[in-house]
Amino acid sequence: MEQYFGKAVKRVEDPRFLTGSGQYTDDLSLPRMAHVAMVRTPFAHARIRRIDTAQALEHPGVVAVITGQALRDANIGSIPPGWLLPDIKTPPHYAIAVDRVRHAGEIVAAVIAESRAIAEDAALLVDVEYEMLPAVSLGSAALASGAPAVHDEAIENVCFRWSIGDQAAVDAEFDRAAKTVKLSLRNSRLAPNAIEPRASLAQYVRASDELTLWTTSQNPHIHRLILAAFVLGIPEHKLRVISPDVGGGFGSKIFQYPEEVIVLYAARKLNRPVKWTARRTESFVSDSHGRDHESEAELAADDEGHVLALRVKTIANLGAYLTLFGPVVPTYLYGTLMNGPYRFRAIHCAVTGVFTHTAPVDALRGAGRPEATYLLERMMDRMAQELGQDPAELRRKNFIQPDAFPYQTPVALVYDSGNYEPALDKALTTLDYKRAREAQAALRKEGRYLGIGFSTYLEACGLAPSSLVGSLGAQAGQWESALVRVMPTGKVEVFTGAHSHGQGHETAFAQIVADDLQIPMDDVVIVHGDTAKVPFGWGSYGSRSAAVGASALKMALNKIRDKAAGIAAHLLEAAPEDVEMTGGQLHVKGVPERGKSFSDIALQAHLAHNLPEGMEPGLEATHFYDPKNFVYPFGTHVAVVEVDPETGRVTLQRYVAVDDCGPLINPMIAEGQVHGGIAHGVGQALLEHALYDEQGQFVAGSFLEYAMPRADDLPLFEIDHTVTPSPHNPLGVKGIGETGTIASTAAVANAVIDALGPFGITHLDMPFTAENVWRAIQGGKKAVA
Amino acid sequence: MADTVAITLTVNGVERQADVEPRTLLVHFLREALGLTGTHVGCDTSQCGACAVSVGGVVVKSCTLLAVQADRAEVTTIEGLARDGQLDPVQQAFWDVHALQCGFCTPGMVMATHELLAHSPQPTDAEIRHGLEGNYCRCTGYHNIVRAVRLAAEKLAERESTAAAG
Ligand code: FES
Ligand code: FES
């Protein structure tokens, strides 16, 4: 039989996308469908004095105008966060503002009309009288005394204060350290910008009192749970959530958004389907943003460069409201990652989560781990610079050794497996490091400024052991489900709680099934994204689909195989333990010529004329897989940049990435994940900035102002991998969806700072746009030739 | 209801007549009136290229044209490229080298690739990257898209030479 695991099988989902037959939420139309346009406040902070909807309602074609008060009167609840921390403030987050708006773009009314154009016209007729209030957009400014309050219940705008690690131990290490370095770092705010804007379509069936929501979601069951039980207050089984083809998520489609609440409410109230699709300019101000940290970091080392301790203080800007993962991203997905792949004696990380008058900040590709990696890898470079050591060798000497696993870090995590040097070596070889440094030195003499930057990252993904995350404040488990249903003809349907929005599960998961049941991939269909079909599952984010979702599938397949072997043994009059499966046949060991094919067994299981005593008919199995630990992918990324000292322009010349995510189910898909991840992280380093001015006005509100990486901003990437399996899941796999982003921002930043070394520049905040770099060069010392 | 204008155009080889509001964008006409939802909308400032279609043999962003401007034109959308269930060489190349992930940018990328190869049948990587700068992709980092364009160029060249030989 053909072995599919490890093969670059072309994706089964692609023909529909390539021919325009994909079905995304906005592609759906239903009879009598009405359309919504949101009225969004242009102000960062204001009291709503009055909303006059009369003129909008009179506009021909308008069906209804919904205000926040109407939702409150209908007992529509606030959208809750899914993760709590000690003493956290969780002010309500209503779908439509009632008396105060707290960020530009917040919804103040929703206009529903016969067409989108009419709804948008009429939205301009909704008259809102505001009383302007002072606003604050920067985390540190919100903490300053006298700063405008975002929520009355959050004193000094503090949402939470959280810390991890042993502060006294860190102080002791710093006291005896030979070298210490210190940096203030900003991790810039990003807009997620999946190319498919968010969209939601709700339908109400009066006869059964049931709602269906088609929405751009990475996790339809979480949507159903939260929207039904917590927001609408309806039984969970009265809401079906379908997430059809989804055009990228990157975290931004995890959360439950106000627009989803509005279409659900409106569909039921009006008894007609209601659709909303974001305009990109709405996406910019209403999708949850990412990052936005201000940090102070100190690193201590001995005189040889062995790191001893790390001290971090971070102000995390949470925006105006807490969304689903808002509290966990800058805490448990950040502070716990400060150890990287190194041997630290002590680490302390203190985070203050702060409300500001800006859009909510939540998970964005990497979610906390890119922020931690950026900080740690910048600090490692700063230390190398201070000690006059090679940055690659400084990292190497600090690596945790391969025989030290499982490895307990000072910040709670226990690493499952790792072998860091081979990845570094492979990257150095690919790059030809020695020659690259020589070229750098030679070009510098010609007045050209090359920089080489490393990121020997480590990340924790595959969310997550349920009891562990429960003890850390998660209001949910983080296991995953798989249901394998074999039909009488031997065709197989798999229902997975994981969700693909570009990751290719329909292919990769089918590879696993085809191998395990020794059937052609064509006989397998992978179903996801519909709460009416799939058992409860937690969806896809945090690089969990392979490590948790595919592990659940593997376990369910084991059950199918066991039952099939039992049936085969009975038919072959053998003991089940004597039956094996080879060449697509179940047969007695050593007697392959007298076997039963998998489809024979499937048929017998359903005919049930001759099953072993006591065996149930049918061939179907469900498994709920709860991982024992996170998985810990790692690797070495190296960026080579050139900075033009005249213009400040940074060109990314080469990008080498060696990643280890255990065995690859489909190397082609895994590499694609790495490519996209790198581009995302490079985008943050060089181009992207979701910038608010001090008054809370968003100044990067369209693709005209917000620079996305384009094809001509990037080189071809040089990709390779090493394989260190995870010891604790049945496939040995680790996640690969976010590693590129986690690693690349730091690698590019280190390369840019390396290039700017001759100007006396030891740090610069992102993004490294021509203007920012040029200014830094002007402000820095003259280059020493 | 606003006044409408009657238009006649050929879309993917089929003649279509419709009454449209003068302000209707071509992309909305294709998606909503004709149900050709393969052409996507990714922005409202004409930057992303998800809406690219061919009008009169030239690939344009269909969010920058009014439907009435396409009156009497020949329009080809992503739905019109495959023939008899066979992907065209550009579609096939995208499939072969995994040049798509979520698929949302893909129709626009495929159309833009056709335009690029029409002007420059043997493009360098730099020309490919320059030629695709009007199309955003958030998933692929463009790496495999560049490879797909190269591959498509080769396949089209092969097809030309076979056609010439035949
Ligand atoms: S929809 Fe973005 S360019 Fe047309
Ligand atoms: S494949 Fe997702 S945006 Fe290009």
Side-chain angles (χ1 to χ4, degrees), chain A residues 10-11 18 24 27 280-281 688 704 709-712 714, chain B residues 31 42 44 47 91 95-96 101-102 129 133 138-139 142:
Chain A
K10 284 204 292 181
R11 299 202 322 170
L18 284 162
Y24 302 87
D27 299 343
R280 178 62 57 184
T281 38
E688 300 181 33
L704 291 165
R710 301 168 192 254
D712 60 356
L714 300 165
Chain B
R31 289 178 55 79
D44 44 12
Q47 249 97 28
Q91 291 170 313
W95 191 16
D96 288 347
Q101 292 182 24
C102 78
R129 288 181 183 276
E133 69 174 2
R138 195 54 144 170
C139 297
Y142 305 99

PDB file of all heavy atoms in Angstrom, chain A residues 10-11 18 24 27 280-281 688 704 709-712 714, chain B residues 31 42 44 47 91 95-96 101-102 129 133 138-139 142:
ATOM      1  N   LYS A  10      -0.597  16.407  -3.105  1.00  0.00           N
ATOM      2  CA  LYS A  10      -1.258  17.650  -3.521  1.00  0.00           C
ATOM      3  C   LYS A  10      -2.611  17.765  -2.822  1.00  0.00           C
ATOM      4  O   LYS A  10      -3.295  16.774  -2.576  1.00  0.00           O
ATOM      5  CB  LYS A  10      -1.459  17.668  -5.038  1.00  0.00           C
ATOM      6  CG  LYS A  10      -0.171  17.964  -5.764  1.00  0.00           C
ATOM      7  CD  LYS A  10      -0.419  18.543  -7.141  1.00  0.00           C
ATOM      8  CE  LYS A  10      -1.041  17.534  -8.071  1.00  0.00           C
ATOM      9  NZ  LYS A  10      -1.259  18.081  -9.421  1.00  0.00           N
ATOM     10  N   ARG A  11      -3.010  18.997  -2.546  1.00  0.00           N
ATOM     11  CA  ARG A  11      -4.185  19.183  -1.688  1.00  0.00           C
ATOM     12  C   ARG A  11      -5.506  18.890  -2.404  1.00  0.00           C
ATOM     13  O   ARG A  11      -5.728  19.344  -3.528  1.00  0.00           O
ATOM     14  CB  ARG A  11      -4.225  20.605  -1.151  1.00  0.00           C
ATOM     15  CG  ARG A  11      -3.018  20.960  -0.293  1.00  0.00           C
ATOM     16  CD  ARG A  11      -3.306  22.113   0.618  1.00  0.00           C
ATOM     17  NE  ARG A  11      -4.141  23.133   0.006  1.00  0.00           N
ATOM     18  CZ  ARG A  11      -4.667  24.142   0.688  1.00  0.00           C
ATOM     19  NH1 ARG A  11      -4.454  24.276   1.979  1.00  0.00           N
ATOM     20  NH2 ARG A  11      -5.409  25.044   0.079  1.00  0.00           N
ATOM     21  N   LEU A  18      -9.327  26.806  -6.933  1.00  0.00           N
ATOM     22  CA  LEU A  18      -8.711  27.253  -8.184  1.00  0.00           C
ATOM     23  C   LEU A  18      -9.730  27.544  -9.270  1.00  0.00           C
ATOM     24  O   LEU A  18      -9.416  28.215 -10.256  1.00  0.00           O
ATOM     25  CB  LEU A  18      -7.730  26.184  -8.684  1.00  0.00           C
ATOM     26  CG  LEU A  18      -6.413  26.145  -7.918  1.00  0.00           C
ATOM     27  CD1 LEU A  18      -5.706  24.821  -8.145  1.00  0.00           C
ATOM     28  CD2 LEU A  18      -5.531  27.314  -8.346  1.00  0.00           C
ATOM     29  N   TYR A  24     -17.202  30.687   0.530  1.00  0.00           N
ATOM     30  CA  TYR A  24     -16.933  31.499   1.712  1.00  0.00           C
ATOM     31  C   TYR A  24     -18.254  32.124   2.173  1.00  0.00           C
ATOM     32  O   TYR A  24     -19.230  32.156   1.420  1.00  0.00           O
ATOM     33  CB  TYR A  24     -15.903  32.579   1.366  1.00  0.00           C
ATOM     34  CG  TYR A  24     -14.606  32.002   0.835  1.00  0.00           C
ATOM     35  CD1 TYR A  24     -14.439  31.729  -0.519  1.00  0.00           C
ATOM     36  CD2 TYR A  24     -13.551  31.706   1.695  1.00  0.00           C
ATOM     37  CE1 TYR A  24     -13.249  31.189  -1.005  1.00  0.00           C
ATOM     38  CE2 TYR A  24     -12.365  31.164   1.222  1.00  0.00           C
ATOM     39  CZ  TYR A  24     -12.221  30.902  -0.129  1.00  0.00           C
ATOM     40  OH  TYR A  24     -11.052  30.362  -0.604  1.00  0.00           O
ATOM     41  N   ASP A  27     -20.180  34.427   0.069  1.00  0.00           N
ATOM     42  CA  ASP A  27     -20.688  33.871  -1.194  1.00  0.00           C
ATOM     43  C   ASP A  27     -22.116  33.357  -1.060  1.00  0.00           C
ATOM     44  O   ASP A  27     -22.757  33.033  -2.061  1.00  0.00           O
ATOM     45  CB  ASP A  27     -19.795  32.712  -1.666  1.00  0.00           C
ATOM     46  CG  ASP A  27     -18.359  33.148  -1.931  1.00  0.00           C
ATOM     47  OD1 ASP A  27     -18.131  34.357  -2.064  1.00  0.00           O
ATOM     48  OD2 ASP A  27     -17.480  32.274  -1.980  1.00  0.00           O
ATOM     49  N   ARG A 280     -13.089  46.313   4.187  1.00  0.00           N
ATOM     50  CA  ARG A 280     -11.737  46.256   4.763  1.00  0.00           C
ATOM     51  C   ARG A 280     -11.515  47.389   5.761  1.00  0.00           C
ATOM     52  O   ARG A 280     -10.868  47.208   6.790  1.00  0.00           O
ATOM     53  CB  ARG A 280     -10.701  46.321   3.646  1.00  0.00           C
ATOM     54  CG  ARG A 280      -9.259  46.326   4.118  1.00  0.00           C
ATOM     55  CD  ARG A 280      -8.863  45.077   4.875  1.00  0.00           C
ATOM     56  NE  ARG A 280      -9.086  43.874   4.103  1.00  0.00           N
ATOM     57  CZ  ARG A 280      -8.890  42.641   4.574  1.00  0.00           C
ATOM     58  NH1 ARG A 280      -8.455  42.450   5.809  1.00  0.00           N
ATOM     59  NH2 ARG A 280      -9.154  41.591   3.813  1.00  0.00           N
ATOM     60  N   THR A 281     -12.051  48.561   5.448  1.00  0.00           N
ATOM     61  CA  THR A 281     -11.852  49.676   6.379  1.00  0.00           C
ATOM     62  C   THR A 281     -12.533  49.381   7.718  1.00  0.00           C
ATOM     63  O   THR A 281     -12.101  49.875   8.751  1.00  0.00           O
ATOM     64  CB  THR A 281     -12.380  50.989   5.775  1.00  0.00           C
ATOM     65  OG1 THR A 281     -13.560  50.711   5.048  1.00  0.00           O
ATOM     66  CG2 THR A 281     -11.366  51.593   4.822  1.00  0.00           C
ATOM     67  N   GLU A 688       4.517  46.690   8.835  1.00  0.00           N
ATOM     68  CA  GLU A 688       3.169  46.860   9.361  1.00  0.00           C
ATOM     69  C   GLU A 688       3.146  47.643  10.673  1.00  0.00           C
ATOM     70  O   GLU A 688       3.993  47.429  11.528  1.00  0.00           O
ATOM     71  CB  GLU A 688       2.528  45.483   9.599  1.00  0.00           C
ATOM     72  CG  GLU A 688       2.420  44.669   8.335  1.00  0.00           C
ATOM     73  CD  GLU A 688       1.767  43.305   8.553  1.00  0.00           C
ATOM     74  OE1 GLU A 688       0.885  43.199   9.420  1.00  0.00           O
ATOM     75  OE2 GLU A 688       2.154  42.360   7.853  1.00  0.00           O
ATOM     76  N   LEU A 704      -4.020  51.598   2.164  1.00  0.00           N
ATOM     77  CA  LEU A 704      -3.227  52.734   1.713  1.00  0.00           C
ATOM     78  C   LEU A 704      -2.242  53.162   2.786  1.00  0.00           C
ATOM     79  O   LEU A 704      -1.149  53.616   2.506  1.00  0.00           O
ATOM     80  CB  LEU A 704      -4.134  53.918   1.362  1.00  0.00           C
ATOM     81  CG  LEU A 704      -5.005  53.745   0.131  1.00  0.00           C
ATOM     82  CD1 LEU A 704      -6.109  54.794   0.106  1.00  0.00           C
ATOM     83  CD2 LEU A 704      -4.154  53.854  -1.120  1.00  0.00           C
ATOM     84  N   PRO A 709       3.038  43.072   3.546  1.00  0.00           N
ATOM     85  CA  PRO A 709       4.099  42.544   2.684  1.00  0.00           C
ATOM     86  C   PRO A 709       3.530  42.146   1.316  1.00  0.00           C
ATOM     87  O   PRO A 709       2.507  41.461   1.232  1.00  0.00           O
ATOM     88  CB  PRO A 709       4.594  41.293   3.426  1.00  0.00           C
ATOM     89  CG  PRO A 709       3.946  41.306   4.760  1.00  0.00           C
ATOM     90  CD  PRO A 709       2.792  42.252   4.723  1.00  0.00           C
ATOM     91  N   ARG A 710       4.198  42.616   0.279  1.00  0.00           N
ATOM     92  CA  ARG A 710       3.822  42.246  -1.087  1.00  0.00           C
ATOM     93  C   ARG A 710       4.875  41.304  -1.636  1.00  0.00           C
ATOM     94  O   ARG A 710       5.947  41.152  -1.048  1.00  0.00           O
ATOM     95  CB  ARG A 710       3.782  43.481  -1.980  1.00  0.00           C
ATOM     96  CG  ARG A 710       2.836  44.553  -1.569  1.00  0.00           C
ATOM     97  CD  ARG A 710       3.160  45.808  -2.381  1.00  0.00           C
ATOM     98  NE  ARG A 710       2.480  46.965  -1.849  1.00  0.00           N
ATOM     99  CZ  ARG A 710       1.425  47.531  -2.436  1.00  0.00           C
ATOM    100  NH1 ARG A 710       0.962  47.054  -3.563  1.00  0.00           N
ATOM    101  NH2 ARG A 710       0.846  48.574  -1.904  1.00  0.00           N
ATOM    102  N   ALA A 711       4.592  40.762  -2.793  1.00  0.00           N
ATOM    103  CA  ALA A 711       5.529  39.794  -3.373  1.00  0.00           C
ATOM    104  C   ALA A 711       6.924  40.383  -3.516  1.00  0.00           C
ATOM    105  O   ALA A 711       7.922  39.695  -3.302  1.00  0.00           O
ATOM    106  CB  ALA A 711       5.008  39.324  -4.733  1.00  0.00           C
ATOM    107  N   ASP A 712       6.997  41.669  -3.863  1.00  0.00           N
ATOM    108  CA  ASP A 712       8.331  42.214  -4.115  1.00  0.00           C
ATOM    109  C   ASP A 712       9.029  42.740  -2.859  1.00  0.00           C
ATOM    110  O   ASP A 712      10.094  43.338  -2.938  1.00  0.00           O
ATOM    111  CB  ASP A 712       8.315  43.261  -5.237  1.00  0.00           C
ATOM    112  CG  ASP A 712       7.419  44.429  -4.931  1.00  0.00           C
ATOM    113  OD1 ASP A 712       6.754  44.400  -3.879  1.00  0.00           O
ATOM    114  OD2 ASP A 712       7.370  45.369  -5.735  1.00  0.00           O
ATOM    115  N   LEU A 714       9.738  40.491  -0.515  1.00  0.00           N
ATOM    116  CA  LEU A 714      10.267  39.265   0.082  1.00  0.00           C
ATOM    117  C   LEU A 714      11.154  38.508  -0.899  1.00  0.00           C
ATOM    118  O   LEU A 714      10.924  38.551  -2.106  1.00  0.00           O
ATOM    119  CB  LEU A 714       9.095  38.354   0.513  1.00  0.00           C
ATOM    120  CG  LEU A 714       8.154  38.964   1.549  1.00  0.00           C
ATOM    121  CD1 LEU A 714       6.866  38.162   1.637  1.00  0.00           C
ATOM    122  CD2 LEU A 714       8.834  39.044   2.907  1.00  0.00           C
TER     123      LEU A 714
ATOM    124  N   ARG B  31     -20.751  38.891  -8.714  1.00  0.00           N
ATOM    125  CA  ARG B  31     -21.014  38.044  -7.549  1.00  0.00           C
ATOM    126  C   ARG B  31     -22.510  37.909  -7.266  1.00  0.00           C
ATOM    127  O   ARG B  31     -23.011  36.804  -7.036  1.00  0.00           O
ATOM    128  CB  ARG B  31     -20.324  38.612  -6.300  1.00  0.00           C
ATOM    129  CG  ARG B  31     -18.806  38.486  -6.319  1.00  0.00           C
ATOM    130  CD  ARG B  31     -18.194  39.116  -5.067  1.00  0.00           C
ATOM    131  NE  ARG B  31     -18.761  38.569  -3.845  1.00  0.00           N
ATOM    132  CZ  ARG B  31     -18.421  37.404  -3.313  1.00  0.00           C
ATOM    133  NH1 ARG B  31     -17.480  36.675  -3.868  1.00  0.00           N
ATOM    134  NH2 ARG B  31     -19.012  36.976  -2.208  1.00  0.00           N
ATOM    135  N   GLY B  42     -11.630  41.813  -1.284  1.00  0.00           N
ATOM    136  CA  GLY B  42     -10.764  41.792  -0.108  1.00  0.00           C
ATOM    137  C   GLY B  42     -10.481  43.165   0.460  1.00  0.00           C
ATOM    138  O   GLY B  42      -9.847  43.285   1.495  1.00  0.00           O
ATOM    139  N   ASP B  44     -11.589  47.769   0.094  1.00  0.00           N
ATOM    140  CA  ASP B  44     -12.430  48.787  -0.522  1.00  0.00           C
ATOM    141  C   ASP B  44     -11.590  49.970  -0.987  1.00  0.00           C
ATOM    142  O   ASP B  44     -12.072  51.079  -1.112  1.00  0.00           O
ATOM    143  CB  ASP B  44     -13.552  49.230   0.430  1.00  0.00           C
ATOM    144  CG  ASP B  44     -13.070  49.456   1.846  1.00  0.00           C
ATOM    145  OD1 ASP B  44     -11.845  49.485   2.057  1.00  0.00           O
ATOM    146  OD2 ASP B  44     -13.916  49.605   2.751  1.00  0.00           O
ATOM    147  N   GLN B  47      -6.640  47.743  -3.519  1.00  0.00           N
ATOM    148  CA  GLN B  47      -5.256  47.352  -3.280  1.00  0.00           C
ATOM    149  C   GLN B  47      -5.003  45.852  -3.349  1.00  0.00           C
ATOM    150  O   GLN B  47      -3.888  45.444  -3.626  1.00  0.00           O
ATOM    151  CB  GLN B  47      -4.830  47.805  -1.879  1.00  0.00           C
ATOM    152  CG  GLN B  47      -3.819  48.913  -1.883  1.00  0.00           C
ATOM    153  CD  GLN B  47      -4.482  50.237  -1.704  1.00  0.00           C
ATOM    154  OE1 GLN B  47      -5.541  50.308  -1.095  1.00  0.00           O
ATOM    155  NE2 GLN B  47      -3.893  51.276  -2.229  1.00  0.00           N
ATOM    156  N   GLN B  91      -3.753  27.547 -13.397  1.00  0.00           N
ATOM    157  CA  GLN B  91      -4.427  26.884 -12.272  1.00  0.00           C
ATOM    158  C   GLN B  91      -3.676  25.616 -11.869  1.00  0.00           C
ATOM    159  O   GLN B  91      -3.445  25.351 -10.692  1.00  0.00           O
ATOM    160  CB  GLN B  91      -5.868  26.518 -12.672  1.00  0.00           C
ATOM    161  CG  GLN B  91      -6.779  27.713 -12.857  1.00  0.00           C
ATOM    162  CD  GLN B  91      -8.114  27.311 -13.484  1.00  0.00           C
ATOM    163  OE1 GLN B  91      -8.152  26.563 -14.468  1.00  0.00           O
ATOM    164  NE2 GLN B  91      -9.200  27.795 -12.918  1.00  0.00           N
ATOM    165  N   TRP B  95      -1.788  24.541  -8.360  1.00  0.00           N
ATOM    166  CA  TRP B  95      -2.100  23.309  -7.610  1.00  0.00           C
ATOM    167  C   TRP B  95      -0.825  22.483  -7.388  1.00  0.00           C
ATOM    168  O   TRP B  95      -0.544  22.016  -6.295  1.00  0.00           O
ATOM    169  CB  TRP B  95      -3.154  22.486  -8.369  1.00  0.00           C
ATOM    170  CG  TRP B  95      -3.734  21.353  -7.572  1.00  0.00           C
ATOM    171  CD1 TRP B  95      -3.658  21.180  -6.209  1.00  0.00           C
ATOM    172  CD2 TRP B  95      -4.483  20.248  -8.077  1.00  0.00           C
ATOM    173  NE1 TRP B  95      -4.328  20.038  -5.846  1.00  0.00           N
ATOM    174  CE2 TRP B  95      -4.841  19.445  -6.967  1.00  0.00           C
ATOM    175  CE3 TRP B  95      -4.900  19.860  -9.354  1.00  0.00           C
ATOM    176  CZ2 TRP B  95      -5.589  18.268  -7.094  1.00  0.00           C
ATOM    177  CZ3 TRP B  95      -5.652  18.701  -9.484  1.00  0.00           C
ATOM    178  CH2 TRP B  95      -5.991  17.912  -8.364  1.00  0.00           C
ATOM    179  N   ASP B  96      -0.032  22.369  -8.450  1.00  0.00           N
ATOM    180  CA  ASP B  96       1.146  21.493  -8.390  1.00  0.00           C
ATOM    181  C   ASP B  96       2.134  21.907  -7.305  1.00  0.00           C
ATOM    182  O   ASP B  96       2.757  21.060  -6.678  1.00  0.00           O
ATOM    183  CB  ASP B  96       1.876  21.486  -9.746  1.00  0.00           C
ATOM    184  CG  ASP B  96       1.103  20.722 -10.811  1.00  0.00           C
ATOM    185  OD1 ASP B  96       0.154  20.009 -10.452  1.00  0.00           O
ATOM    186  OD2 ASP B  96       1.451  20.855 -12.002  1.00  0.00           O
ATOM    187  N   GLN B 101      -3.338  28.530  -0.060  1.00  0.00           N
ATOM    188  CA  GLN B 101      -3.689  27.918   1.228  1.00  0.00           C
ATOM    189  C   GLN B 101      -5.174  28.139   1.505  1.00  0.00           C
ATOM    190  O   GLN B 101      -5.981  27.248   1.276  1.00  0.00           O
ATOM    191  CB  GLN B 101      -2.787  28.458   2.338  1.00  0.00           C
ATOM    192  CG  GLN B 101      -1.333  27.969   2.147  1.00  0.00           C
ATOM    193  CD  GLN B 101      -0.395  28.435   3.229  1.00  0.00           C
ATOM    194  OE1 GLN B 101      -0.791  28.745   4.340  1.00  0.00           O
ATOM    195  NE2 GLN B 101       0.892  28.474   2.920  1.00  0.00           N
ATOM    196  N   CYS B 102      -5.545  29.336   1.947  1.00  0.00           N
ATOM    197  CA  CYS B 102      -6.981  29.548   2.205  1.00  0.00           C
ATOM    198  C   CYS B 102      -7.754  29.716   0.915  1.00  0.00           C
ATOM    199  O   CYS B 102      -8.969  29.580   0.901  1.00  0.00           O
ATOM    200  CB  CYS B 102      -7.192  30.744   3.124  1.00  0.00           C
ATOM    201  SG  CYS B 102      -7.047  32.339   2.298  1.00  0.00           S
ATOM    202  N   ARG B 129       7.615  39.018  -9.133  1.00  0.00           N
ATOM    203  CA  ARG B 129       7.262  39.697  -7.889  1.00  0.00           C
ATOM    204  C   ARG B 129       6.721  41.100  -8.168  1.00  0.00           C
ATOM    205  O   ARG B 129       5.762  41.540  -7.545  1.00  0.00           O
ATOM    206  CB  ARG B 129       8.472  39.750  -6.956  1.00  0.00           C
ATOM    207  CG  ARG B 129       8.780  38.384  -6.368  1.00  0.00           C
ATOM    208  CD  ARG B 129       9.969  38.412  -5.418  1.00  0.00           C
ATOM    209  NE  ARG B 129      10.262  37.063  -4.947  1.00  0.00           N
ATOM    210  CZ  ARG B 129       9.658  36.469  -3.915  1.00  0.00           C
ATOM    211  NH1 ARG B 129       8.732  37.115  -3.235  1.00  0.00           N
ATOM    212  NH2 ARG B 129       9.963  35.240  -3.573  1.00  0.00           N
ATOM    213  N   GLU B 133       2.607  42.668  -7.533  1.00  0.00           N
ATOM    214  CA  GLU B 133       2.582  43.529  -6.350  1.00  0.00           C
ATOM    215  C   GLU B 133       1.201  44.114  -6.079  1.00  0.00           C
ATOM    216  O   GLU B 133       0.951  44.610  -4.992  1.00  0.00           O
ATOM    217  CB  GLU B 133       3.650  44.623  -6.443  1.00  0.00           C
ATOM    218  CG  GLU B 133       3.334  45.635  -7.508  1.00  0.00           C
ATOM    219  CD  GLU B 133       4.319  46.794  -7.506  1.00  0.00           C
ATOM    220  OE1 GLU B 133       5.259  46.781  -6.704  1.00  0.00           O
ATOM    221  OE2 GLU B 133       4.113  47.708  -8.310  1.00  0.00           O
ATOM    222  N   ARG B 138      -1.961  36.636   2.288  1.00  0.00           N
ATOM    223  CA  ARG B 138      -1.519  36.623   3.677  1.00  0.00           C
ATOM    224  C   ARG B 138      -1.020  35.234   4.072  1.00  0.00           C
ATOM    225  O   ARG B 138      -0.427  35.079   5.129  1.00  0.00           O
ATOM    226  CB  ARG B 138      -2.700  37.037   4.563  1.00  0.00           C
ATOM    227  CG  ARG B 138      -2.386  37.432   5.994  1.00  0.00           C
ATOM    228  CD  ARG B 138      -1.333  38.512   6.138  1.00  0.00           C
ATOM    229  NE  ARG B 138      -1.588  39.434   7.228  1.00  0.00           N
ATOM    230  CZ  ARG B 138      -0.703  40.334   7.657  1.00  0.00           C
ATOM    231  NH1 ARG B 138       0.502  40.419   7.085  1.00  0.00           N
ATOM    232  NH2 ARG B 138      -1.010  41.162   8.635  1.00  0.00           N
ATOM    233  N   CYS B 139      -1.284  34.229   3.245  1.00  0.00           N
ATOM    234  CA  CYS B 139      -1.022  32.849   3.669  1.00  0.00           C
ATOM    235  C   CYS B 139       0.316  32.297   3.196  1.00  0.00           C
ATOM    236  O   CYS B 139       0.959  31.550   3.913  1.00  0.00           O
ATOM    237  CB  CYS B 139      -2.104  31.921   3.132  1.00  0.00           C
ATOM    238  SG  CYS B 139      -3.757  32.252   3.740  1.00  0.00           S
ATOM    239  N   TYR B 142       4.095  34.329  -0.617  1.00  0.00           N
ATOM    240  CA  TYR B 142       4.335  34.462  -2.072  1.00  0.00           C
ATOM    241  C   TYR B 142       5.356  33.463  -2.622  1.00  0.00           C
ATOM    242  O   TYR B 142       5.548  33.382  -3.830  1.00  0.00           O
ATOM    243  CB  TYR B 142       4.789  35.898  -2.426  1.00  0.00           C
ATOM    244  CG  TYR B 142       3.839  36.965  -1.937  1.00  0.00           C
ATOM    245  CD1 TYR B 142       4.077  37.665  -0.766  1.00  0.00           C
ATOM    246  CD2 TYR B 142       2.671  37.250  -2.635  1.00  0.00           C
ATOM    247  CE1 TYR B 142       3.190  38.637  -0.306  1.00  0.00           C
ATOM    248  CE2 TYR B 142       1.782  38.216  -2.188  1.00  0.00           C
ATOM    249  CZ  TYR B 142       2.054  38.910  -1.018  1.00  0.00           C
ATOM    250  OH  TYR B 142       1.178  39.854  -0.562  1.00  0.00           O
TER     251      TYR B 142
END
